[in-house]
Amino acid sequence: MAAENAAGHGGQTAGEYIVHHLTHWRNKELVGPFDLTVVNLDSAFFSILLGIVGCFFLWKAARKATSGVPGRFQAAVELLVEMVDSQARGIVHNAESRKLVAPLALTVFVWIFLLNAMDLLPVDLIPVLWAWGYGAAGLDSHHAYMRSVPTADLSVTMGLSLGVL
């Protein structure tokens, strides 16, 4: 039975498969349970990439906005902006402060939505592609760690919350 499990996951046992998928691509190994010098490169890469994608889509919606009858994409963005604006109006009563809070809330909402949407991809898709590319570069593909959901990393969650403060 263990041999069948190992054959199904590229020669790994079920425990090794799980540990491999829970390990980040890091600049160096952790020294103790809390090490501020370690950067999870996969989380940083996907966070920056999805931030650029989110900004691109919001820019595209703003550029193609019309005052007449909106298209589907513009209508969806307008619904999103109105939802965030009503939330900001309910929390921040000063109109001058809302000029900063509402766009920040919209940006953070879209960014977190995209970060969590990475979980809709099959769990093995990006790590398998990464291991294939890692092996093609002549490196050991068994040590090609890649987690594609940045919000599963506590560093990203803490960074987002500190950025909002």
Side-chain angles (χ1 to χ4, degrees), residues 26 29-36 38:
R26 299 181 174 125
E29 286 301 313
L30 286 170
V31 180
F34 186 73
D35 188 1
L36 290 175
V38 175

Side-chain angles (χ1 to χ4, degrees), residues 107-123:
T107 305
V108 170
F109 178 82
V110 169
W111 198 14
I112 292 173
F113 177 79
L114 290 173
L115 292 174
N116 285 329
M118 289 295 289
D119 211 9
L120 297 175
L121 293 174
V123 71

Side-chain angles (χ1 to χ4, degrees), residues 32-151:
F34 186 73
D35 188 1
L36 290 175
T37 62
V38 175
V39 176
N40 294 332
L41 300 171
D42 49 3
S43 298
F45 172 75
F46 284 112
S47 296
I48 291 168
L49 176 70
L50 292 173
I52 291 169
V53 167
C55 287
F56 172 74
F57 280 121
L58 290 176
W59 171 78
K60 185 178 175 185
R63 193 176 63 115
K64 293 191 177 207
T66 62
S67 60
V69 178
R72 289 182 294 186
F73 184 62
Q74 181 181 344
V77 172
E78 285 181 9
L79 280 171
L80 183 64
V81 168
E82 288 178 22
M83 180 198 70
V84 171
D85 187 51
S86 67
Q87 290 287 322
R89 194 176 299 125
I91 296 170
V92 180
H93 300 292
N94 185 354
E96 193 64 31
S97 296
R98 255 195 326 267
K99 289 181 181 178
L100 171 71
V101 172
L104 176 66
L106 177 66
T107 305
V108 170
F109 178 82
V110 169
W111 198 14
I112 292 173
F113 177 79
L114 290 173
L115 292 174
N116 285 329
M118 289 295 289
D119 211 9
L120 297 175
L121 293 174
V123 71
D124 279 339
L125 178 66
I126 293 177
V128 165
L129 293 174
W130 178 250
W132 178 78
Y134 212 74
L139 302 168
D140 183 14
S141 63
H142 294 292
H143 293 96
Y145 300 113
M146 177 65 67
R147 286 183 72 178
S148 60
V149 183
T151 50

